[in-house]
Amino acid sequence: MILCCGEALIDMIAEPTVSGSRGFVPHSGGAVFNTAIALGRLGAPAGLLTGLSTDMFGQQLADALQASHVEASHVIRSDRPTTLAFVQLVDGHATYSFVDENSAGRMLTPEDMPKQLPAVSALYFGGISLACEPCADAYAALLERHGSDRAVMLDPNIRPGFIKDQSRFRTRLNRMIAQSDIVKVSDEDLDWIVPGPETLAEKVPLLLQAGPSVVIVTRGSDGASGYLADGSETSVPVKAVEVVDTVGAGDTFNAGVLAELNRAGRLTKANLRTLDPDVLRAALAKGADVAAITVSRAGANPPWAHEL
């Protein structure tokens, strides 16, 4: 099973009401939750480790996991509130305002993390959970405990507004990058992680030297590229679709990559170290396929396998 570790929350998306004013409609979301949902819909064996509230929004999230065939035995329930993300869409691009204090997801600690993961073959980390404490330390501890013998994918998804202590965040993130096999970044993420005057082509080798076997860089409408430690490189274009909004696009891209690597039998530490560029290209193409469907409809609504 691929265990996705990180936030599940409610996206409050503005929609017109019958009176003409705006109202906010609750949609299940969160970067890591979206990846887990997309994996389940693609038929990959997926689970989620997160903190869920016992409130009505937490139940909405739990029901969504079940509906998309995501295993939930590692979900940690509490009576703390659900994180709410109020979403504003401008020309299809989303900006967020979060209500996250003392939430069920944020308040996880290293002591809450499981000591054994017998059915888990791969781990995925990402989203705001990597920046918000104490849960950021909890997920870092989970990776430290269980990442040495499992394939690990990390999407830092840098959000500077969530970073309260940049030095502390960089130290934790750099340690997690060094323990990961696949690191997926946007071009903006890469500039933040590897600051300086170097070009993208110069920064990728620096990131590979930190420890990953594979680095994936997404560049919006310019497509995505994958880089291997042996210097190999491959790219795929973005599929041309009519974009409704970009909510969940990167999360479903990640699911497509993981699902294809898992299908090909390459989602292990040893196999990722010797990955063939053609296999990586197929994984990137699957990511682009599922992301294209997601951006063609409203909200984070990943496709099912039969839709591809």
Side-chain angles (χ1 to χ4, degrees):
M1 180 175 69
I2 303 167
L3 185 63
C4 301
C5 310
E7 77 272 8
L9 52 80
I10 294 293
D11 287 322
M12 302 294 285
I13 299 178
E15 295 184 11
T17 66
V18 292
S19 67
S21 59
R22 286 195 314 169
F24 285 91
V25 179
H27 295 263
S28 299
V32 178
F33 174 92
N34 292 338
T35 298
I37 291 290
L39 281 168
R41 292 185 181 185
L42 291 173
L48 181 68
L49 193 162
T50 193
L52 280 192
S53 176
T54 54
D55 66 16
M56 65 178 183
F57 293 131
Q59 190 57 50
Q60 176 180 328
L61 291 162
D63 292 343
L65 292 173
Q66 183 177 17
S68 292
H69 312 303
V70 178
E71 206 271 347
S73 65
H74 294 295
V75 168
I76 301 163
R77 302 300 293 263
S78 75
D79 60 1
R80 294 189 175 97
T82 298
T83 298
L84 303 180
F86 288 84
V87 184
Q88 183 177 21
L89 295 172
V90 178
D91 296 328
H93 295 278
T95 58
Y96 299 85
S97 177
F98 288 86
V99 180
D100 191 38
E101 289 300 319
N102 198 40
S103 67
R106 182 172 183 172
M107 298 310 293
L108 294 180
T109 67
E111 290 70 31
D112 294 317
M113 296 295 102
K115 294 192 170 42
Q116 302 292 331
L117 293 174
V120 174
S121 57
L123 296 167
Y124 169 77
F125 297 90
I128 63 173
S129 297
L130 301 182
C132 298
E133 297 179 358
C135 71
D137 289 326
Y139 291 119
L142 182 74
L143 175 56
E144 185 80 36
R145 184 179 299 164
H146 296 296
S148 62
D149 56 354
R150 295 173 173 87
V152 177
M153 181 173 180
L154 175 72
D155 179 359
N157 194 12
I158 304 296
R159 293 181 184 271
F162 279 90
I163 301 170
K164 305 303 182 187
D165 184 330
Q166 187 172 129
S167 176
R168 181 176 170 86
F169 174 79
R170 282 189 182 276
T171 298
R172 182 173 56 240
L173 180 62
N174 288 339
R175 188 170 68 249
M176 295 183 77
I177 288 172
Q179 295 169 309
S180 298
D181 303 289
I182 306 170
V183 174
K184 177 260 187 170
V185 290
S186 67
D187 45 3
E188 294 92 347
D189 291 337
L190 185 57
D191 285 338
W192 195 95
I193 294 168
V194 187
E198 296 87 358
T199 65
L200 183 147
E202 294 169 323
K203 291 182 178 185
V204 168
L206 296 176
L207 193 55
L208 283 165
Q209 289 171 20
S213 298
V214 182
V215 168
I216 298 169
V217 181
T218 57
R219 302 183 307 279
S221 60
D222 291 328
S225 298
Y227 304 84
L228 300 173
D230 66 2
S232 301
E233 175 185 344
T234 188
S235 298
V236 298
V238 166
K239 303 199 81 172
V241 297
E242 184 175 341
V243 176
V244 174
D245 68 51
T246 60
V247 178
D251 311 326
T252 51
F253 174 88
N254 293 342
V257 170
L258 285 167
E260 179 60 23
L261 290 172
N262 185 69
R263 186 203 64 77
R266 310 305 291 174
L267 196 57
T268 69
K269 281 191 177 300
N271 285 334
L272 289 171
R273 279 194 291 268
T274 59
L275 194 64
D276 186 282
D278 290 339
V279 176
L280 177 57
R281 179 178 173 79
L284 297 178
K286 177 60 74 67
D289 285 347
V290 295
I293 294 176
T294 299
V295 301
S296 70
R297 52 200 190 190
N301 185 10
W304 294 83
H306 65 80
E307 295 181 81
L308 297 179

